Amino acid sequence: FGLAAQALPSFGFVYGVTDRIQIGAYRSPGDLGRPIQLTGGASLFSEQRGDALSTMVRFGVEGRDNLRRQYTTSLEATVARSLTRHAQLYVVPTLSFGDRPFIADLNSETPGTTAFALGVGLAVNVRPSMALLGEANYRLTEAARYHEIGQGIRRPVYGFGIQKASASRRHAFTLTFSNGPGTTLSQRSQTRGLYFVDDSLRGLTIGFNLSRRLF
């Protein structure tokens, strides 16, 4: 994601241990505290297997300054339901322990707080390989909105975009517009307001995601 003319590239890798279990690693840049995030997840239910809902749970540990300090532990559940053959609804609650704003001083020993965020999303397939996306993610924990920093987190992180997959489904490109630069489990519900800048619809930033399935 970009902030003004500044790029904030992140990189990640997910490996499917089985058809239900996955592990992953992820890193974001210095303007977000140089966090490295390690995750493990399990698919509990799947509509493709005949269940009423698709449910994935994930556990993540992230540490700033390349996994050396200011650790945050997050628990997440992703619940998805197909509305029609062409639309899917997602609900994603996330609980983070040891949460800190992404502009926190890396040398600070201040203990983090507990943050609970609730995300909702909608994907609509307009073509077999193309989908329109929309999402919002809001912190329900008052203390974790950090009103004393910049403009604080006064709005949900929201975004919308368009995703195009290749015919083989091994590549996907997503063009997005969002008011939140963070992409780790704890940071993705923090808005640009912490940077002392506008996080309303007039302050959206443009970004893109590239994914590649290796095998």
Side-chain angles (χ1 to χ4, degrees):
F1 286 85
L3 177 64
Q6 183 179 14
L8 299 176
S10 298
F11 303 90
F13 176 81
V14 176
Y15 178 76
V17 180
T18 70
D19 60 346
R20 289 176 178 264
I21 300 174
Q22 61 176 233
I23 57 175
Y26 192 80
R27 188 191 188 274
S28 289
D31 289 306
L32 297 172
R34 297 189 299 275
I36 290 179
Q37 175 180 271
L38 305 178
T39 60
S43 173
L44 303 182
F45 305 102
S46 174
E47 288 184 284
Q48 294 180 345
R49 295 192 291 264
D51 298 320
L53 300 168
S54 293
T55 304
M56 166 74 76
V57 294
R58 284 203 299 170
F59 170 82
V61 175
E62 57 190 89
R64 301 193 181 182
D65 197 14
N66 297 315
L67 205 59
R68 288 187 292 201
R69 64 192 73 194
Q70 295 186 354
Y71 299 100
T72 303
T73 301
S74 296
L75 302 173
E76 172 201 84
T78 301
V79 181
R81 170 68 178 175
S82 296
L83 303 179
T84 68
R85 291 188 304 165
H86 304 290
Q88 301 83 40
L89 177 67
Y90 300 86
V91 178
V92 186
T94 305
L95 184 63
S96 297
F97 304 96
D99 180 81
R100 296 171 179 85
F102 48 61
I103 63 170
D105 181 2
L106 290 179
N107 295 316
S108 173
E109 299 298 331
T110 303
T113 187
T114 298
F116 179 69
L118 183 63
V120 294
L122 180 68
V124 179
N125 299 318
V126 293
R127 296 184 61 84
S129 62
M130 184 178 295
L132 299 179
L133 313 174
E135 65 176 12
N137 197 330
Y138 188 58
R139 294 197 158 201
L140 302 179
T141 310
E142 182 70 23
R145 296 179 194 160
Y146 307 118
H147 294 302
E148 72 280 6
I149 301 175
Q151 299 179 17
I153 304 173
R154 303 183 183 278
R155 298 179 175 88
V157 172
Y158 42 73
F160 56 91
I162 183 169
Q163 183 178 81
K164 178 69 171 69
S166 65
S168 66
R169 297 299 192 272
R170 289 183 176 270
H171 299 81
F173 173 82
T174 308
L175 179 67
T176 63
F177 298 87
S178 174
N179 65 337
T183 48
T184 66
L185 291 179
S186 69
Q187 292 184 353
R188 66 187 181 192
S189 57
Q190 300 183 30
T191 74
R192 298 173 70 242
L194 297 175
Y195 278 125
F196 298 83
V197 294
D198 185 11
D199 64 357
S200 68
L201 285 174
R202 295 177 298 177
L204 294 180
T205 55
I206 187 171
F208 60 90
N209 298 323
L210 290 171
S211 65
R212 168 73 164 98
R213 184 161 59 91
L214 301 179
F215 54 87

